[in-house]
Amino acid sequence: MKIKNGFVVREVGGESVVVPVGEMSKNFHGMINLNETGAFLWRFFSEDHSIDEGVAALLEEYDVDEAIARTDVEKFAETIEKNGFAE
Amino acid sequence: MIYEIANLRISIKNRCKYTEIFCEKYLSNDQAAPFDLEVSVTDEEFYEEKKISEGYSDGYIENICLYRAICRCLPKLNRMLLHAAVLEYEGNAYAFLGRSGTGKSTHTGLWLKHLNGSKIVNGDKPILEYKESGFVAYGTPWMGKEGLGYNGSAPLKGLCFLEQAKENSVLKLTPAQAASRIFVQILMPEDEANAALTLELTDKLVTEIPCYLLKCNVSEEAVQKSFEALTGKTYKK
């Protein structure tokens, strides 16, 4: 999965926020708030990676069970796909 | 014509006379010197706005589009639009924010009534500039339907989000809490550079300026609560 171009990610008040820009801002209005894991996965999937690679990256970064990491990545990927943010 | 708004020289290319009258107090005495920014409205944008603002004059519609065009370019100039009512008291500015109908003009009206010397810099759409010394709030010709404000500026020392309530209470917000409330009150440009800069300016705003949530009714006590939180001074009746 790879997240489409056309988003800006910044920390505002300590929380990660994603804003659509350019063509993307015409299809999607508003902004997305990310928690820490979400922000990590957003950055990771800004380049093309498989779900398995996402799980491995999450395990390397955070001290979590593989099952939890997999659920997190799958949920994240589902949200990205559902909103049409994936290429 | 060139206007001086928020300490910028802005060349406004309008077609309707409306904007010239609207902005006359901001007209620059020097029409020959260079400008920082030039704006005009495309036909596409004009007719898009005309569809939404049915029943308004062409001048009014062009005027709205022109301000939006200005505001979209502001982040590159270290400035941003904030949808808020900004008051000045003893040389400092305080911004009051809330969704339409939460009582921004009612609460700021109570300040004017009870706090001698307080005045409204801009009742609806001030521009903020980020400087090394902090944020500065500017009056602009665009100041909401009540038309309250003047061509002036003051350093911004506090943000106060308003909510209606039976009892008055004031709460200090964390930067994250303030951020989640402030996004609906800013204009997000569609181009990447200005959108990124808007987020960066907003981050500085909620981390560097103390932010409060005032739950309030319509009373002098409500003024006391916001006054004491924002200024750090004791309110004297």
Side-chain angles (χ1 to χ4, degrees), chain A residues 7-8 10-15 17 19 21-22 25-26 31 33, chain B residues 175-176 179 183 188 190-192 195-196 199-200 202-203 206-207:
Chain A
F7 293 98
V8 165
R10 286 291 184 283
E11 275 204 11
V12 180
E15 311 261 320
V17 176
V19 171
V21 291
S25 68
K26 295 188 173 78
M31 48 181 47
N33 292 295
Chain B
F183 284 124
M188 192 56 68
E190 284 156 15
D191 74 286
E192 186 165 350
L199 291 173
E200 289 163 17
T202 307
D203 179 53
V206 297
T207 44

Side-chain angles (χ1 to χ4, degrees), chain B residues 29-102:
Chain B
N29 291 325
D30 183 358
Q31 291 293 318
F35 48 80
D36 301 295
L37 180 64
E38 183 167 73
V39 290
S40 60
V41 178
T42 63
D43 286 346
E44 189 192 354
E45 211 177 346
F46 178 83
Y47 288 109
E48 196 64 34
E49 184 62 38
K50 203 172 163 76
K51 265 191 272 172
I52 309 165
S53 307
E54 215 181 308
Y56 288 95
S57 72
D58 285 0
Y60 177 87
I61 288 162
E62 184 192 41
N63 184 257
I64 293 179
C65 294
L66 284 166
Y67 196 39
R68 203 178 294 142
I70 292 170
C71 292
R72 274 200 297 255
C73 303
L74 289 176
K76 279 188 179 165
L77 299 157
N78 275 324
R79 289 165 177 80
M80 66 188 285
L81 171 77
L82 185 67
H83 182 214
V86 170
L87 270 174
E88 190 233 293
Y89 180 76
E90 293 187 342
N92 290 324
Y94 305 99
F96 294 85
L97 306 94
R99 288 171 190 274
S100 306
T102 45

